[in-house]
Amino acid sequence: MFIPFFLKLKDARVPVTLREFLDLLEGMEAGLADFDVEAFYYLARAALVKDERHIDRFDQVFSAHFSGVEAISGMEVNEPEPLPEEWLRKLAERHLSAEEKALVASLGGFEALMETLRKRLEEQQGRHQGGSKWIGTAGTSPFGAYGYNPEGVRIGQKTSRHRRAVKVWDSREFRDFDDAREIGTRNIKVALKRLRRWVRDGAADELDLPGTIRSTAEHGYLDVQTRPERRNSVKLLMFFDVGGSMDDHVAEVEELFSAARSEFRHLEHFYFHNCLYESVWRDNRRRSTRLPVTEILRTYGPDYRIIFVGDATMSPYEISHPGGSVEHWNKEAGEVWMGRMTAHFRRVAWINPLAEPQWDFTQSAILMRRILDGRMYPLTLSGLEQAMRALTR
């Protein structure tokens, strides 16, 4: 049972090792999770998962592999496997109230419940909805999903409605941490924190506890010492593609911008459309007020980090040819202006809200990746971490 589970985790790209698998077996031999499926779940997760980004994939594999323990599908029940009665018995004893236990006893006890379940699984050959006998949904049978029975065993239901049945592992409370998923502000901030260079500047208004202890010991009286607050000194310029196909990604980009504003003290932002040309703007409401890119190159030094945010979806001519812009006549190709930016600013990254597999089907995205020497990253937790590492080099 455990070796196939270990191999399925590796297939799902959960980085488990043989040493961690042996730790799980040692925990089982020590009796840490005897007849307690919930304890086994937490033991397995603690032993095999070392990064919160992989918990969601672990939950999916656990649910699929141990479905015979708590979440038996009611869709196909041709050859049911024996149910682990002791595990279900222990879990039922743990979750049922005193009144529910009394009702189970009045109906024949847990043994009668499990025996009836076996018979139903043997007799039923297909999906059933409603009613009070067959295993299906929206009924009053002790088995099935989306119905009601106080001593029920949930089968094929992903969430609890009455909090009366055995817990299933399909809740997947950690799905937002998966590094392959698009992410929200709470995780964007975690990824952006990798781009840090701490300095102490400004007024000395933070308590220096080690300094206070040292000075007090030296002078023989309480000598409070303060120091400047430690701040992130990284300087960042962000350029956001707006309009057109980027309208589909407004929510994700807003989350990224909000997180960046809270993480970086030295942050300036600008807007462009599709590709960078000779000018950008700061306010979309007054788009006619433009700032020449040459002024940006003169104003900000090479120590600034640059992040472009856009889907890189446009006509290839907007990048490669003069006059290719859809909004105005550009005397020089977008590729020329991007080259000037990458020559002046050594640390440049492009964050793309489109899923990475789609990039190879868009000629403009291929061209932009070539201009940036491959420094294009998806708007996912993993992608942002890669971008932050590239900007720290």
Side-chain angles (χ1 to χ4, degrees):
M1 176 182 290
F2 297 125
I3 292 178
F5 175 54
F6 173 74
L7 297 177
K8 288 180 181 178
L9 287 173
K10 296 184 74 68
D11 290 340
R13 296 183 297 109
V14 179
V16 292
T17 65
L18 183 59
R19 176 67 265 173
E20 294 161 349
F21 179 64
L22 293 176
D23 290 341
L24 172 62
L25 296 183
E26 290 177 4
M28 295 298 295
E29 291 177 358
L32 299 181
D34 283 346
F35 307 118
D36 188 339
V37 71
E38 186 172 358
F40 171 69
Y41 165 76
Y42 287 113
L43 173 63
R45 198 178 80 180
L48 301 176
V49 182
K50 302 304 181 184
D51 193 315
E52 62 187 11
R53 294 175 299 173
H54 305 130
I55 294 180
D56 181 55
R57 274 175 270 173
F58 173 85
D59 285 352
Q60 294 181 61
V61 175
F62 188 97
S63 177
H65 187 72
F66 294 101
S67 61
V69 175
E70 287 194 326
I72 306 169
S73 174
M75 301 298 291
E76 295 180 7
V77 288
N78 295 325
E79 296 181 5
E81 297 180 0
L83 292 174
E85 287 188 32
E86 289 300 324
W87 282 31
L88 289 178
R89 183 196 305 274
K90 292 287 184 180
L91 200 60
E93 291 175 355
R94 186 170 182 173
H95 288 279
L96 292 179
S97 66
E99 294 78 7
E100 291 166 342
K101 291 177 182 178
L103 183 55
V104 170
S106 67
L107 296 175
F110 191 84
E111 292 79 4
L113 177 69
M114 297 310 300
E115 182 62 28
T116 305
L117 172 60
R118 285 196 203 89
K119 292 181 179 179
R120 300 275 175 87
L121 288 173
E122 291 173 359
E123 296 172 3
Q124 182 177 339
Q125 298 299 317
R127 185 179 184 277
H128 179 71
Q129 180 169 341
S132 60
K133 178 181 180 182
W134 294 121
I135 300 167
T137 60
T140 58
S141 166
F143 319 103
Y146 307 106
Y148 179 81
N149 193 295
E151 75 279 15
V153 175
R154 187 185 310 149
I155 299 176
Q157 179 180 334
K158 292 186 177 181
T159 57
S160 175
R161 298 175 67 246
H162 303 293
R163 303 292 181 186
R164 307 253 194 240
V166 173
K167 177 181 178 181
V168 295
W169 312 113
D170 291 336
S171 60
R172 296 174 56 196
E173 296 175 353
F174 293 86
R175 68 184 67 191
D176 288 341
F177 291 97
D178 194 330
D179 62 3
R181 294 178 56 87
E182 294 181 359
I183 55 181
T185 302
R186 67 176 182 176
N187 290 329
I188 292 176
K189 290 183 178 181
V190 174
L192 294 180
K193 286 182 183 295
R194 295 180 179 272
L195 182 58
R196 292 180 294 189
R197 188 176 64 194
W198 295 112
V199 297
R200 294 193 181 276
D201 58 4
D205 54 4
E206 180 183 82
L207 174 64
D208 182 2
L209 183 58
T212 299
I213 295 173
R214 182 174 58 254
S215 182
T216 299
E218 290 175 353
H219 298 112
Y221 58 85
L222 180 61
D223 187 10
V224 177
Q225 300 292 312
T226 60
R227 60 187 177 184
E229 183 181 355
R230 193 174 71 157
R231 301 179 185 274
N232 187 359
S233 65
V234 168
K235 300 175 182 179
L236 182 65
L237 300 181
M238 298 189 74
F239 295 82
F240 294 91
D241 180 9
V242 293
S245 58
M246 281 299 295
D247 289 344
D248 297 334
H249 309 289
V250 169
E252 303 99 305
V253 174
E254 284 180 343
E255 290 178 342
L256 174 62
F257 179 62
S258 174
R261 291 283 290 183
S262 66
E263 291 298 325
F264 298 101
R265 182 184 181 188
H266 305 286
L267 170 65
E268 299 285 346
H269 69 279
F270 308 93
Y271 299 101
F272 67 98
H273 180 60
N274 284 351
C275 187
L276 186 75
Y277 297 112
E278 65 275 4
S279 64
V280 293
W281 57 95
R282 293 179 181 271
D283 190 339
N284 283 304
R285 293 170 297 181
R286 293 182 293 176
R287 190 166 174 173
S288 59
T289 306
R290 292 177 176 262
L291 179 69
V293 172
T294 53
E295 185 174 335
I296 293 176
L297 295 174
R298 289 194 301 265
T299 304
Y300 302 100
D303 57 329
Y304 273 81
R305 273 77 166 177
I306 308 299
I307 295 179
F308 291 96
V309 182
D311 58 7
T313 301
M314 67 197 90
S315 167
Y317 297 109
E318 295 185 62
I319 300 175
S320 60
H321 286 69
S325 172
V326 297
E327 293 193 328
H328 72 293
W329 176 264
N330 54 300
K331 294 182 180 180
E332 296 180 287
E335 183 176 9
V336 174
W337 287 103
M338 289 297 298
R340 288 172 180 157
M341 291 289 287
T342 56
H344 180 73
F345 300 105
R346 297 185 299 271
R347 302 178 181 90
V348 180
W350 186 294
I351 305 298
N352 195 327
L354 280 181
E356 190 170 0
Q358 299 182 36
W359 300 352
D360 293 334
F361 298 97
T362 306
Q363 186 64 30
S364 57
I366 295 174
L367 286 174
M368 194 61 72
R369 291 178 72 185
R370 178 177 58 80
I371 293 171
L372 296 168
D373 294 326
R375 291 171 290 180
M376 182 178 288
Y377 308 93
L379 185 51
T380 63
L381 180 57
S382 176
L384 284 176
E385 290 178 348
Q386 294 177 52
M388 296 307 104
R389 283 197 293 267
L391 292 174
T392 56
R393 294 169 186 165

